[in-house]
Amino acid sequence: MGAVRDAVGRGLTRWRGAALPIVQCALSAGLAWVFATLVIGHEHPFFAPIAAVVCLGVSLGQRLRRVGELVVGVSVGVGVGDALIGWIGSGPWQIALVVALAMSTAVLLDGGTVIALQAGSSAVLVATLLPPSAGGGFDRMIDALTGGLVGLAVAALIPANPITVAQRQLKALTNTLSGALRNLADALDEKDAVKAAGVLAELRTSQDTIDAYKSALQTGSEITKIAPIRWRSKDELSRYHTAAGPVDYAIRNTRVLARRTMAALKADEQIPDGVPEVLKSYADAVDCLKGELEKGKEPSGTREVVRDAARQLTARRLGGDGFSSKVVLAQIRSIAVDLLQSTGLSRGEAMEALPPLSPPAGSGSPAAGSGPVRGPEDPPGRTNRP
């Protein structure tokens, strides 16, 4: 029974997350049929609700361009199918010819994958299940265009909340970063190279989370453009855009930090005692950033937490007795710059906000700089800052 309850609970959670898209699809399908029958005067406009539902299915979380590709693809496929099947009849070679011509037409109009595939599938539908009726002509193409436009109109009038979409993905991203920083701090406290290796392995799988956040921001931006009731969300959403790049860089730098921490622990290098506390403070700053963005506040508290951690690092005049330990200190400095940039500061302002490290004379520590130290899995194209 416990397993059944868990399964039902997960199902309800998924349903709640999909409730708005379901409402949008259902409403757009009904409205597309009504508009095509009452306004345009088509007797059986079955392509109108189909196009509306498919259009909304693609538009959720996708670029607006892909919605246009789908509508055009359906229209081209239906138009070519209607024009040719009524003339050459229906059969295997006719289906092959119609699909080839529909997809060729779509490719000539636009090189997108969606438009070509949709044109081909729509042509198949017309050539097999729904052969053209007498006097059908291009009515189905008009129905497809009608359904697509109705679907877009419903998405604009009943849109998702772009801030909620961004918050959900930012939470996953910041949890990944703050968790990694705290686990690295524990690895240093316990001198556990295996735990550091676990953090590195987890961070190497974080790209999907990063991509999901950027996709959510893109979706949110499109919503604020087409949905009048969401226009006021542009300013608040801009803070999430500001944080996207720097948080991405912070995760990448933390990955380098984890690799060098693991190497330092394996080599039994001496890392100053204050480093774990600094990493925990950075994790607190990441959590603070998430909270301030969720509340729509200027992330000034995040800046203060990062600056306090950097002062602690400087006050201890950290050095390091090996290459990996020195790289660890350099990466800690780089992460501080990343976190400050995520609050809206420029790179120059972020570096000026941090006190100088002033390493011991002659130490040659790379910690005096704030640029990331790259390893073999972090090529320049992935860690360079804009």
Side-chain angles (χ1 to χ4, degrees), residues 232-368:
R232 294 183 179 180
S233 301
K234 289 181 180 179
D235 291 339
E236 188 174 353
L237 190 65
S238 67
R239 291 191 177 132
Y240 287 87
H241 279 283
T242 298
V247 171
D248 182 2
Y249 291 130
I251 289 178
R252 299 181 193 277
N253 273 320
T254 303
R255 187 168 64 222
V256 178
L257 174 64
R259 186 172 64 249
R260 289 304 179 182
T261 297
M262 178 183 66
L265 292 172
K266 285 182 176 180
D268 201 25
E269 294 181 12
Q270 183 62 38
I271 296 179
D273 295 335
V275 171
E277 285 73 18
V278 173
L279 294 180
K280 291 175 183 176
S281 295
Y282 285 178
D284 292 339
V286 173
D287 292 337
C288 184
L289 174 67
K290 176 180 62 177
E292 289 182 318
L293 289 178
E294 288 178 352
K295 295 176 182 177
K297 296 171 56 178
E298 178 73 17
S300 55
T302 303
R303 294 172 191 159
E304 192 59 36
V305 174
V306 175
R307 283 195 290 257
D308 286 345
R311 292 190 194 103
Q312 180 184 4
L313 185 71
T314 305
R316 294 176 180 270
R317 300 178 66 83
L318 300 178
D321 65 353
F323 175 75
S324 289
S325 61
K326 291 175 182 178
V327 174
V328 165
L329 299 175
Q331 290 305 115
I332 290 175
R333 181 75 166 188
S334 295
I335 294 170
V337 175
D338 293 332
L339 294 179
L340 287 174
Q341 285 186 269
S342 71
T343 68
L345 298 183
S346 67
R347 179 168 172 77
E349 291 170 337
M351 294 178 68
E352 290 177 3
L354 296 175
L357 286 176
S358 302
S363 67
S365 170

Side-chain angles (χ1 to χ4, degrees), residues 22-37:
I22 291 172
V23 170
Q24 289 177 328
C25 288
L27 184 59
S28 64
L31 289 177
W33 180 273
V34 169
F35 190 88
T37 53

Side-chain angles (χ1 to χ4, degrees), residues 154-208:
V154 170
L157 296 174
I158 312 177
N161 188 335
I163 304 303
T164 301
V165 174
Q167 285 176 352
R168 186 183 306 117
Q169 297 301 332
L170 179 68
K171 182 178 180 180
L173 191 61
T174 53
N175 286 348
T176 296
L177 178 55
S178 62
L181 290 169
R182 288 194 175 93
N183 288 334
L184 277 179
D186 292 340
L188 287 169
D189 276 333
E190 301 165 11
K191 300 188 184 304
D192 188 345
V194 175
K195 180 173 285 190
V199 175
L200 177 59
E202 182 178 356
L203 288 174
R204 282 172 172 164
T205 64
S206 63
Q207 189 60 45
D208 288 344

Side-chain angles (χ1 to χ4, degrees), residues 126-146:
V126 170
T128 55
L129 298 179
L130 303 170
S133 57
F138 287 92
D139 286 354
R140 291 171 180 173
M141 183 173 67
I142 296 173
D143 291 339
L145 286 170
T146 300

